[in-house]
Amino acid sequence: VDTAGIAVVGAGYWGPNLVRNFAADEGSTLRWVCDLDEERAAQLAGRFGVENVTSKLTDVLADDAVRGVAIATPVSTHAAIAEACFDAGKDVLIEKPLAHSLDAGVAMVERAEAAGSVLMVDHTFCYTSTILHIRDMVQAGDLGLFQYYDSIRINLGLVQSDVDVMWDLAPHDFSIIDFILPDDIQPVSIAAVGTDPLGVGHVCVAYVTVNLSNGATAHMHLNWLSPVKMRKVMIGGSQRMLVWDDIRPEQRLSIYDSGADLHDASEPRRREALVAYRIGDMVAPALPEVEALSRVAAEFRNAIKTRSVPETDGRSGLRVLAMLDAATRSLEADGASVAIPTFPTGP
Ligand SMILES: NC(=O)c1ccc[n+]([C@@H]2O[C@H](COP(=O)([O-])OP(=O)(O)OC[C@H]3O[C@@H](n4cnc5c(N)ncnc54)[C@H](O)[C@@H]3O)[C@@H](O)[C@H]2O)c1
């Protein structure tokens, strides 16, 4: 069987999840675990029977049997590690966000395209059964007119040292918006405010609003200093409304057959009769509990073998970075609205 040789770089908090899923992926052969902390890499490799361990990326790149490198190192190191991989002719799966700046991300995508390398970003949520279902509904028009996306992503910690709360948590929502919205609805501008109550040097509490081209908004409430953990998104449409509660495994998705309609305004009616509310049934679809990262691993391995473009390619990573970059500029301008540059799909 022709399996794809894979190396995982970064054995910290997230790396072990990549190792576990590539180890389980039948189309992949996990050849290396690499971490600057070789002892950490060795422990992780030992747990999953991975043959080779190193603290040096050059060891990984010198192995001709390695075709894909999955990178789970701190964001500030993504660009340099990925570019070394492209130069060595390897394909890359990189953790979100793609890079530490929009410029670095643009350079990465150009380098990958010039080298003919696959560049996939681990926008994990796009591979969950819930988001795949939501995307199908939104794109089939099942929600009616798209009215809003409203997200709460809060918990206590982990306060990151190299990125603020927006760069840590908003990539999830930005990548989901990019993934589920039909092509004719684009993010156009962004406004962000936030605070740093601990004085760590960047915001730990943030409120971000994205204005969409159809007049709808997407709002995110991001907080590292919340006593409770919440991962809840509401999506409103004129026909149906969705609630996605990701820490409720028995009912992650609730679909409400509810909505509001404005009566024909030309009809003479009393003011309170202008809006008609529909309160319909709620359905909680039984969706398969498949670990998203197993789909990520399969998508990357398939792209390596078939040279196909992954769903969450480098350009989707750039669109997310463009939103992060605009959000940071808005934050610096006290919440002023900042236009989001566009990055079309495909080279
Ligand atoms: N997809 C998700 O849901 C998700 C969740 C958490 C983290 N992440 C992402 O994963 C990445 C890593 O985050 P983390 O929380 O695991 O960080 P971490 O600090 O826990 O681990 C990073 C590891 O990388 C190693 N490292 C640093 N520089 C290296 C280099 N040049 N070569 C080899 N190893 C190096 C460190 O020694 C450390 O073990 C980040 O991009 C983060 O945004 C994604």
Side-chain angles (χ1 to χ4, degrees), residues 9 12-14 35-36 40 72-74 78 95-96 122 124 172:
V9 181
Y13 166 67
W14 196 249
D35 196 294
L36 288 181
R40 193 180 286 174
T73 57
H78 284 185
E95 271 310 321
K96 61 84 198 166
D122 177 20
T124 317
H172 295 311

Side-chain angles (χ1 to χ4, degrees), residues 8-20 33-45 47-48 54 70-74 77-78 95 158 160 293:
V8 171
V9 181
Y13 166 67
W14 196 249
N17 294 324
L18 293 177
V19 167
R20 181 167 47 76
V33 177
C34 169
D35 196 294
L36 288 181
D37 182 340
E38 194 164 337
E39 179 54 35
R40 193 180 286 174
Q43 274 185 13
L44 180 58
R47 270 167 56 204
F48 294 95
T54 183
I71 301 167
T73 57
T77 67
H78 284 185
E95 271 310 321
L158 291 169
Q160 307 277 311
L293 270 186

Side-chain angles (χ1 to χ4, degrees), residues 250-307:
E250 78 287 358
Q251 189 180 325
R252 283 189 214 276
L253 181 61
S254 309
I255 303 169
Y256 291 83
D257 198 3
S258 300
D261 293 300
L262 192 63
H263 288 300
D264 185 349
S266 62
E267 252 180 68
R269 277 175 191 274
R270 280 177 297 121
R271 189 182 164 73
E272 60 270 26
L274 270 178
V275 180
Y277 300 96
R278 264 183 319 99
I279 299 172
D281 290 343
M282 186 279 287
V283 175
L287 300 172
E289 278 289 327
V290 175
E291 185 172 358
L293 270 186
S294 72
R295 294 193 178 118
V296 171
E299 175 92 352
F300 183 52
R301 169 256 295 161
N302 189 48
I304 291 173
K305 287 186 177 174
T306 65
R307 313 314 295 165

Side-chain angles (χ1 to χ4, degrees), residues 85-158:
C85 293
F86 301 141
D87 289 349
K90 311 295 187 194
D91 296 323
V92 167
L93 168 67
I94 193 118
E95 271 310 321
K96 61 84 198 166
L98 176 64
H100 61 278
S101 73
L102 182 55
D103 288 346
V106 169
M108 272 170 82
V109 170
E110 282 172 359
R111 196 90 157 244
E113 286 172 0
S117 292
V118 171
L119 172 56
M120 174 171 171
V121 189
D122 177 20
H123 290 154
T124 317
F125 282 114
C126 300
Y127 296 86
T128 60
S129 296
T130 311
I131 290 302
L132 289 165
H133 191 80
I134 290 175
R135 179 174 72 160
D136 287 348
M137 289 191 73
V138 170
Q139 301 208 346
D142 291 350
L143 302 193
L145 296 174
F146 190 91
Q147 293 174 331
Y148 60 84
Y149 175 102
D150 196 347
S151 164
I152 305 174
R153 218 171 273 286
I154 63 178
N155 52 272
L156 196 57
L158 291 169

